Amino acid sequence: MTDENKSETEAETQDFQEKYDELLEELALKEEELKEVKENLEKQEAETQEYISLSQRLQADFENFKKITDKRNKEFIKFANEDIIKDFLDCYEDFGRALEIKNNDDLKEGVGLIYNKFKDILTKEGIKEIPTKGEKFDLNKHEAMMVQESEDVENDYIIEELMKGYMYKDKVLKYSKVIVCKK
């Protein structure tokens, strides 16, 4: 081998060695990057597992809360009328005592007191009678049972109330049954 070939070969070898060294450095950098990416991935997987666990606990807590709330609501609904029933029991007992009375005047007075007691309970609970006498007929509050002509009453006004109607707060519980004037 000639010196020229030898130096060419050495130069090529040196170039290959430099390229090889550059590739090794690049490979080392890539391995370092890969190591960082793996560490970040492991951290993110740990966070993801933590979030999944937290989500499962929150879902379980929510289900428990929902069951407790449903149970409370059922209990509330079951006993919602307890106070008004107690008031009606007082009236019921008063009726029993009134039935034991032998004197008609005392009986009438006792039944009048019971009637007023019932009326007070209903008023306290938000029950009102629907006015009819002298009122204009309203489909939202009244039910026309009959129509009649009348000289004393204007057209579409109520002549007579056949049965009382009642409102509970803003809702009609029972429509008033009335006779309406039609001309």
Side-chain angles (χ1 to χ4, degrees), residues 5-17:
N5 282 341
K6 195 176 184 184
S7 88
E8 234 179 75
T9 307
E10 283 179 7
E12 285 179 4
T13 305
Q14 191 174 2
D15 282 345
F16 281 132
Q17 186 63 41

Side-chain angles (χ1 to χ4, degrees), residues 1-180:
M1 216 182 210
T2 63
D3 281 338
E4 200 176 287
N5 282 341
K6 195 176 184 184
S7 88
E8 234 179 75
T9 307
E10 283 179 7
E12 285 179 4
T13 305
Q14 191 174 2
D15 282 345
F16 281 132
Q17 186 63 41
E18 285 175 9
K19 284 185 181 180
Y20 178 73
D21 290 341
E22 284 178 20
L23 288 174
L24 283 179
E25 280 182 34
E26 199 176 313
L27 183 60
L29 288 173
K30 294 294 180 186
E31 285 178 351
E32 188 65 34
E33 282 181 33
L34 183 60
K35 183 179 175 186
E36 288 178 22
V37 168
K38 283 182 180 179
E39 287 174 1
N40 285 338
L41 183 60
E42 288 173 1
K43 285 180 185 176
Q44 289 180 352
E45 284 179 357
E47 282 182 24
T48 301
Q49 287 303 319
E50 189 177 321
Y51 288 135
I52 289 171
S53 176
L54 176 63
S55 173
Q56 289 171 340
R57 286 192 306 271
L58 286 173
Q59 187 172 4
D61 288 346
F62 178 73
E63 290 297 323
N64 288 337
F65 173 76
K66 189 175 168 185
K67 287 177 186 175
I68 290 169
T69 303
D70 287 346
K71 183 178 178 184
R72 284 182 185 162
N73 287 342
K74 285 179 184 175
E75 285 290 312
F76 178 76
I77 289 168
K78 183 177 179 181
F79 295 107
N81 296 329
E82 183 176 356
D83 290 336
I84 194 167
I85 290 171
K86 285 179 186 176
D87 291 339
F88 283 137
L89 284 175
D90 288 341
C91 290
Y92 174 76
E93 290 173 356
D94 289 344
F95 269 122
R97 284 189 286 277
L99 290 174
E100 294 173 2
I101 295 174
K102 303 292 185 221
N103 183 338
N104 282 341
D105 291 337
D106 290 342
L107 177 63
K108 184 174 182 176
E109 183 181 332
V111 171
L113 290 173
I114 295 169
Y115 175 81
N116 289 331
K117 196 177 213 181
F118 259 118
K119 188 174 184 178
D120 290 343
I121 292 170
L122 293 173
T123 302
K124 182 181 85 178
E125 292 300 319
I127 305 294
K128 298 181 284 188
E129 287 183 13
I130 297 173
T132 56
K133 271 291 201 218
E135 297 285 322
K136 185 168 176 66
F137 178 74
D138 182 355
L139 278 173
N140 298 317
K141 297 177 184 176
H142 308 117
E143 183 178 345
M145 301 304 290
M146 295 173 31
V147 290
Q148 289 180 353
E149 285 189 29
S150 174
E151 297 295 323
D152 301 333
V153 181
E154 292 182 43
N155 194 33
D156 286 333
Y157 275 77
I158 296 171
I159 296 173
E160 185 179 341
E161 177 181 68
L162 300 174
M163 291 181 73
K164 291 182 186 276
Y166 300 93
M167 303 266 304
Y168 176 59
K169 299 180 180 174
D170 293 331
K171 180 181 178 186
V172 174
L173 285 180
K174 182 180 174 188
Y175 291 90
S176 298
K177 297 188 185 328
V178 295
I179 299 173
V180 180

